[in-house]
Structures are given as C-alpha cells and as structure tokens.
Amino acid sequence: MSDTQVSELPSQRRLSSVLTSKAPARPAFPVVSVATLGGVTALVALVALGVLLDQTVLIPPLAASAALVFAAPALPLAQPRSVIGGQLVSAVVGFVCLAVGGSSVWTSAVAGGLAIGAMALARTPHSPAAATAVIVVVTQPSTVLFLLLLLLATAVIVGVGILAGRSGRTPRYPAYWW
C-alpha cells in the first residue's frame, strides 16, 4: 500500500477520535464580557465591604462561587439556594468539626468531606462551599461574625448575578430561587 492509498489506519482513527475535543463551543464575546464584568464587580465589592468593615470578606471559595454564578448561571450549583445555603451549611459543618476535633489538617479534611454530605442532605449542592468548611477549621474565625459576613458576601454575589442576568446578553439568572 502506498501512502496515497491509505489516509488513516484503524489505530490512527481510534487515537484521533480519543484526542478529538468534546469541549463546549466558546461563548460569544458579549456573554464572556458580562460574565467577566459581573465577576470582577462582585469580587471587588466584597473587598470594598471588607475594607469598610475592617474584616476579611473575600475568601477563596467565594471567588469560585462567583465563577459558577457568572460563567455557568443555569447550573443548579449556581442558583441562590445553593450559593447561599451551601456556603452557610458548609460553614456550620466547619464550626461543628472545629468544636469536636480542634484545628488540624485532619479535622479540616473531615469537615470538607462532611460538608459535601450536609449540602446534599440540605439540597444545597455548591462545590466551592466544601472549601469554606476547611477554611473555618484552619482559621478558627469568630462564629457569628463569620456567618454574618458569609451571608452578606453570598448575597452580594447573587445580587450582582441577578443584575448580570438581566443584561440580555447572558442566560437569565437565577433559573430558580429556592
């Protein structure tokens, strides 16, 4: 067989099909623009609130929450019930684990895992929130203050998400409330 008679051998076709991208299409520029602007606005607002209150309001899991709200607003994980509820449920799990096991990497790992189950039981799945349980155990914040700031922060993210979802350039947010 010459090279001109055989364009691909069966093994090459299998390899080619495995390597072919199944990634979703790139979103339109207006969708990316609104998502980016919404994310920056929400996260900068959290920093501004932190400066005004002289408290840390922006914690890493909230940046991940914002990514879901602005880049994937139709997902169940991005809905207000999951963003607010999942973060609060996970923080409470973190505080319970902290009280029972103390602050250690072992307790933080257990807290992150238990938060997953607690969110499932509460019907508030929100993957970034498992990290909030870990942060609670590791940093040992004041319980009431942390929960109030977390509630405020998630409300800001959801609020900016609602505004972005009304832009007409992205999917409407939220898909459902509670």
Side-chain angles (χ1 to χ4, degrees):
M1 271 193 246
S2 73
D3 287 336
T4 57
Q5 292 174 330
V6 178
S7 59
E8 274 188 10
L9 298 173
S11 62
Q12 288 174 322
R13 274 184 260 140
R14 281 193 299 271
L15 179 61
S16 176
S17 69
V18 168
L19 297 177
T20 302
S21 176
K22 302 283 186 198
R26 181 174 286 113
F29 183 75
V31 172
V32 173
S33 298
V34 170
T36 303
L37 181 61
V40 169
T41 301
L43 297 176
V44 167
L46 296 184
V47 172
L49 282 169
V51 169
L52 288 172
L53 299 171
D54 195 29
Q55 296 291 326
T56 300
V57 178
L58 176 60
I59 59 173
L62 294 175
S65 294
L68 286 170
V69 168
F70 297 103
L75 288 180
L77 298 175
Q79 301 313 306
R81 173 187 180 96
S82 292
V83 174
I84 297 169
Q87 286 287 359
L88 292 174
V89 164
S90 293
V92 168
V93 168
F95 283 114
V96 169
C97 289
L98 178 61
V100 172
S103 181
S104 75
V105 291
W106 300 101
T107 305
S108 67
V110 170
L114 289 176
I116 294 166
M119 287 186 287
L121 289 173
R123 295 179 29 235
T124 58
H126 188 66
S127 50
T132 299
V134 172
I135 286 174
V136 164
V137 172
V138 171
T139 64
Q140 307 173 58
S142 164
T143 305
V144 173
L145 180 60
F146 186 86
L147 291 173
L148 288 173
L149 291 173
L150 187 61
L151 177 61
L152 175 63
T154 55
V156 167
I157 292 169
V158 167
V160 176
I162 291 167
L163 294 175
R166 302 303 186 267
S167 70
R169 303 202 180 260
T170 64
R172 190 147 173 101
Y173 179 83
Y176 56 88
W177 278 94
W178 209 252

